[in-house]
Amino acid sequence: MRIIAGTHRGRPLSAPPGDGTRPTSDRVRESLFSSLAALGVLDGARVLDVFAGSGALGLEALSRGAARAVFVEKAASVARVITGNIRSLGFDDRAEVLTRQATTALRERPARSADLVFADPPYPLGESDVAEVLALLVPVLVGADSLVVLERSSRSPAPALPADLEVYRERTTGETRLWLLQLTEDAAREAAAGEH
């Protein structure tokens, strides 16, 4: 595993031991980040990487200009791998690792604190659990330009979205389906009003 592009292009990343995590492939990451760069959402972004695994998605975002990333990973051994990757890349002052369940961490997040969220839950995680995580993400999104990237198996059904989220774009690459989600117009307006 490696950083694909940006200031730390080509730098290696450690992967968690065993087969309990499923790192996003370089091919999928490259395709995803090309789309995100084209949308202009990376530069200066506040990133939240939920079910972070190795932290590859959040770290790639930092390499490509994100301002800060918070990584959420419940397994302590895996969280230590993320911390090691952060240190090896010199991102200590721009990254934070929370060793917590995703739902617990999201309930603790300050409102309107993320421009870009990566949510890569384990494929076996039930759809109702995924729906709960998506609902908890709504309050942390900054506004109309915020995006949630949901990664699922290509065989997974379409996610059950809360009323305040809608599909911006979706694509399938091999065994992976990516859903780019955004706040609905009404929810984005409410978020913007809450910022003032």
Side-chain angles (χ1 to χ4, degrees):
M1 289 180 60
R2 63 190 174 88
I3 297 288
I4 294 167
T7 57
H8 291 62
R9 178 180 181 174
R11 294 281 297 276
L13 295 173
S14 296
D19 54 7
T21 60
R22 172 192 36 79
T24 303
S25 72
D26 283 2
R27 184 168 146 232
V28 171
R29 269 193 297 138
E30 192 158 8
S31 171
L32 167 62
F33 277 92
S34 292
S35 296
L36 295 176
L39 292 169
V41 298
L42 291 169
D43 207 28
R46 291 167 288 176
V47 174
L48 180 59
D49 190 348
V50 187
F51 306 102
S54 66
L57 294 173
L59 294 167
E60 185 76 35
L62 289 173
S63 178
R64 294 177 185 239
R68 181 165 177 75
V70 176
F71 300 84
V72 178
E73 173 55 55
K74 71 175 184 178
S77 60
V78 178
R80 284 193 291 274
V81 172
I82 302 172
T83 300
N85 282 330
I86 289 168
R87 286 189 182 138
S88 73
L89 295 171
F91 287 147
D92 305 64
D93 59 339
R94 295 167 57 199
E96 178 184 3
V97 180
L98 303 177
T99 310
R100 292 185 182 82
Q101 289 274 3
T103 51
T104 302
L106 290 174
R107 286 190 181 99
E108 295 170 350
R109 292 298 301 158
R112 312 301 169 204
S113 58
D115 304 293
L116 177 61
V117 178
F118 298 108
D120 184 10
Y123 284 173
L125 191 70
E127 295 306 314
S128 62
D129 294 318
V130 173
E132 180 184 11
V133 169
L134 293 175
L136 289 169
L137 284 173
V138 170
V140 307
L141 297 175
V142 170
D145 296 329
S146 303
L147 282 179
V148 174
V149 179
L150 175 65
E151 181 174 335
R152 297 295 279 154
S153 163
S154 59
R155 294 179 293 280
S156 296
L161 299 181
D164 290 334
L165 279 182
E166 63 187 8
V167 176
Y168 173 75
R169 184 180 293 170
E170 69 171 282
R171 73 165 47 158
T172 302
T173 305
E175 292 294 306
T176 302
R177 178 174 290 179
L178 295 174
W179 302 84
L180 271 59
L181 310 172
Q182 64 183 5
L183 290 173
T184 62
E185 191 173 330
D186 286 347
R189 196 178 301 117
E190 281 180 30
E195 285 279 277
H196 302 304

